[in-house]
Amino acid sequence: MKFFKNYSLMLLPLLVLPFTSVLSLEEAYNRYDFPPEFVFGSGTSAYQVEGAADEDGRTPSIWDVFAHAGHGAAGDVACDQYHKYKEDVKLMKDIGLEAYRFSISWSRLLPSGRGPVNPKGLQYYNNLIDELITHGIDPHVTLHHFDLPQALQDEYGGWLSRESVRDFTAYADTCFKEFGDRVLHWTTLNEANVFALGGYDQGITPPGRCSPPFGLINCTKGNSSIEPYIAVHNMLLAHASVTNLYKKHYKYKQHGSVGISIYTYGTVPLTNSVEDKQATDRLNDFLIGWILHPLVFGDYPKTMRTRVGSRLPTFTADEAKQVKGAFDFFGVINYMAVYVKDNSSSQTQDLHDYNTDMALTMTLFGNTTFGSEHANTPWSLQQVLLYIKETYDNPPIYIAENGQTTPQTSSLEDTTRVRFLSSHIEAVLDSIRKGSNVKGYFQWSLMDLFELFRGYELSYGLYYVDFKDPYLKRYPKLSAHWYSSFLMGTLHLQCSHSVL
């Protein structure tokens, strides 16, 4: 199974009601067992919830163009948060969210990708941020969530060009100037690792580039052997540029922080063989180390250097100096676990891409299928947190996304999601007690929304959205009541002592 197939297997005012824990009655804990500065929230992204795709000066992003090229549903309307943001912030307040993670649509703020700011876009994000703060909700902002302006993709190939570093830095500078007096937590790029693989190796996400035999769609342009590595390299340089800009010009007066998020798996060798254990180590180097290793140590993992060879870009001495240490935190995105089996025979192929470079195969832990609940594997999240603690000098971490997918349904009794959240929050607490430097947890997602791989067929939300209703009415699910009770300290979870 190819890497990205695994990823795509995962992809009304609320009254606070009493809730009885579904876990066994052993040692009780609640929200106040977490450190005082720990933050709980929920998240969405611009293309998945905003809608208003061609309103008030917004221009297409690469996701707009990809969706309208026949790759499934589109986010033209989505949840219409652009017009309903006040209602949605009220929903956040009702359940007691302490923070909201959302992204800015680059092409809404800067329609040409650079140059003049769109006044309507600026007004919208100012209004959203102010509304959050008025209700005591901390804004956590992502600058790029799979939605590069199409204008820059057309002009110079987007992330395949070093020009992207310049334009992304200028875009971030605009955001820091306009919003940094109220926004203290910035994530530059969402899932740089998965974004590169989907968009430049397998072609199933924008900009839809790949080459035979690796693409999972009929790609007409691209080079799967080299483009994912080039894209990530430029994204790392852009991230470092933005982080260093913030540290030099904004941190002393705004006192915020800048990070980057990565997609992760919990991993289990399929067998106890040396080969499968080594393959598991390779997966961690290629998936996590691809992004974190340069930022912590100044270069890619040796495993990648050896296996990818000249196809893996190199940092100049000056670039390595700029990249190393260019972070305040890392965002961890985790939904599931995989079995890992060595597949060294793939190294004998004439053509290579990321998957053949890793030389392994993966199978979902628990035999879950797309559209059914994720296997409830809280140890997966804890394993990743402790791995980063031990491997990368225990950096500050936010759980940027964690949640469960189910088929989209009008039923509000999402008991499996409640079990998923309760067990994963327990895993986070246990990780903190074991020394992991975790600062916050963001459930994905606040409401049912446009999912990047299956449109409106799947659900992650605490709120059900009736997409057949012209007003897109929101309804709280059982998980929203549960999360609210937990956040307000009225719910005592029960430790199962079975996370690991």
Side-chain angles (χ1 to χ4, degrees):
M1 180 179 289
K2 287 188 176 182
F3 170 81
F4 209 86
K5 284 185 180 179
N6 286 298
Y7 180 79
S8 64
L9 286 171
M10 28 158 257
L11 276 180
L12 289 169
L14 174 63
L15 298 176
V16 180
L17 303 178
F19 189 91
T20 303
S21 174
V22 298
L23 300 178
S24 60
L25 295 174
E26 295 182 18
E27 177 190 348
Y29 69 93
N30 64 25
R31 194 265 172 264
Y32 300 109
D33 287 304
F34 287 80
E37 69 280 3
F38 192 93
V39 63
F40 280 95
S42 187
T44 64
S45 80
Y47 189 71
Q48 294 178 270
V49 295
E50 283 184 4
D54 58 357
E55 290 185 37
D56 291 344
R58 181 187 182 275
T59 60
S61 71
I62 55 175
W63 202 283
D64 293 275
V65 173
F66 185 80
H68 286 282
H71 299 290
D76 295 355
V77 177
C79 303
D80 197 26
Q81 189 169 91
Y82 185 76
H83 297 108
K84 299 171 74 70
Y85 71 91
K86 288 187 177 183
E87 174 186 335
D88 289 343
V89 173
K90 178 65 165 53
L91 298 180
M92 299 175 211
K93 178 66 174 179
D94 287 342
I95 60 175
L97 284 194
E98 300 160 4
Y100 178 50
R101 176 177 175 255
F102 65 97
S103 71
I104 290 174
S105 168
W106 186 348
S107 63
R108 189 182 297 284
L109 190 65
L110 300 175
S112 298
R114 69 169 80 90
V117 173
N118 174 20
K120 291 289 188 179
L122 179 64
Q123 180 183 23
Y124 169 70
Y125 291 112
N126 272 323
N127 289 346
L128 173 59
I129 291 167
D130 289 344
E131 192 76 9
L132 290 167
I133 291 172
T134 297
H135 287 80
I137 300 168
D138 191 16
H140 285 236
V141 174
T142 298
L143 295 173
H144 180 277
H145 195 118
F146 287 37
D147 57 353
L148 182 85
Q150 184 65 36
L152 302 184
Q153 183 69 32
D154 293 339
E155 181 181 342
Y156 53 67
W159 290 111
L160 295 178
S161 168
R162 289 291 180 97
E163 294 185 55
S164 60
V165 177
R166 174 203 64 204
D167 287 338
F168 186 66
T169 304
Y171 159 55
D173 192 27
T174 299
C175 292
F176 298 154
K177 286 177 182 175
E178 300 292 349
F179 314 124
D181 58 329
R182 291 153 293 158
V183 176
L184 299 180
H185 304 89
W186 299 93
T187 297
T188 54
L189 297 137
N190 183 75
E191 295 179 343
N193 48 0
V194 162
F195 174 68
L197 295 174
Y200 297 92
D201 186 347
Q202 300 187 0
I204 61 173
T205 60
R209 296 178 64 86
C210 60
S211 59
F214 306 113
L216 298 182
I217 64 173
N218 183 24
C219 292
T220 59
K221 54 188 176 182
N223 186 330
S224 297
S225 294
I226 62 172
E227 287 188 1
Y229 299 117
I230 294 172
V232 163
H233 196 74
N234 289 331
M235 283 189 276
L236 284 169
L237 293 174
H239 163 80
S241 175
V242 167
T243 304
N244 293 326
L245 169 76
Y246 189 85
K247 289 181 177 179
K248 183 176 180 180
H249 294 290
Y250 294 98
K251 195 175 184 71
Y252 74 95
K253 57 183 176 181
Q254 295 181 356
H255 310 293
S257 59
V258 181
I260 190 171
S261 77
I262 57 169
Y263 186 82
T264 67
Y265 289 125
T267 57
V268 180
L270 185 63
T271 72
N272 287 324
S273 69
V274 172
E275 292 79 9
D276 286 355
K277 291 178 180 177
Q278 290 174 340
T280 302
D281 291 339
R282 286 199 304 275
L283 174 57
N284 285 327
D285 278 346
F286 270 75
L287 187 60
I288 297 174
W290 193 13
I291 309 301
L292 267 55
H293 220 82
L295 294 171
V296 175
F297 301 118
D299 198 7
Y300 297 109
K302 290 182 179 178
T303 307
M304 294 189 74
R305 283 265 169 240
T306 300
R307 288 179 168 267
V308 182
S310 61
R311 289 178 290 118
L312 187 64
T314 58
F315 297 104
T316 66
D318 184 59
E319 288 170 345
K321 184 178 179 181
Q322 293 176 40
V323 169
K324 184 177 179 180
F327 66 92
D328 294 310
F329 65 86
F330 293 126
V332 166
I333 294 172
N334 183 269
Y335 291 95
M336 63 188 72
V338 292
Y339 292 109
V340 184
K341 178 176 175 54
D342 177 68
N343 184 26
S344 294
S345 62
S346 67
Q347 288 287 288
T348 63
Q349 296 180 203
D350 293 331
L351 295 174
H352 292 274
D353 76 336
Y354 179 90
N355 291 289
T356 59
D357 290 334
M358 281 198 301
L360 55 87
T361 57
M362 292 182 288
T363 306
L364 282 181
F365 189 94
N367 270 335
T368 55
T369 57
F370 196 37
S372 66
E373 67 169 286
H374 291 158
N376 194 358
T377 55
W379 60 264
S380 169
L381 177 58
Q382 183 173 124
Q383 182 192 78
V384 169
L385 296 175
L386 297 180
Y387 174 82
I388 293 174
K389 169 183 176 286
E390 298 297 330
T391 308
Y392 295 105
D393 300 332
N394 203 18
I397 288 174
Y398 287 90
I399 312 302
E401 291 180 27
N402 178 245
Q404 184 195 57
T405 179
T406 56
Q408 174 73 312
T409 172
S410 60
S411 172
L412 304 179
E413 299 296 316
D414 57 343
T415 55
T416 61
R417 183 169 289 109
V418 170
R419 295 190 188 100
F420 186 100
L421 292 175
S422 63
S423 63
H424 283 74
I425 288 173
E426 177 188 344
V428 174
L429 180 59
D430 199 38
S431 300
I432 292 171
R433 289 171 172 171
K434 291 179 179 179
S436 182
N437 193 11
V438 188
K439 300 297 185 182
Y441 175 89
F442 288 82
Q443 176 271 348
W444 186 270
S445 53
L446 175 67
M447 66 188 74
D448 295 343
L449 38 70
F450 169 77
E451 279 303 330
L452 299 183
F453 296 97
R454 291 285 291 272
Y456 302 96
E457 299 176 24
L458 297 180
S459 159
Y460 282 88
L462 299 173
Y463 286 89
Y464 164 70
V465 178
D466 185 355
F467 291 108
K468 296 179 182 178
D469 179 355
Y471 298 102
L472 296 168
K473 193 170 182 179
R474 286 86 153 117
Y475 300 87
K477 302 179 188 177
L478 184 64
S479 57
H481 293 290
W482 179 90
Y483 201 35
S484 178
S485 296
F486 172 71
L487 293 178
M488 294 184 182
T490 60
L491 172 66
H492 289 261
L493 298 178
Q494 310 299 327
C495 291
S496 67
H497 300 294
S498 60
V499 175
L500 285 177

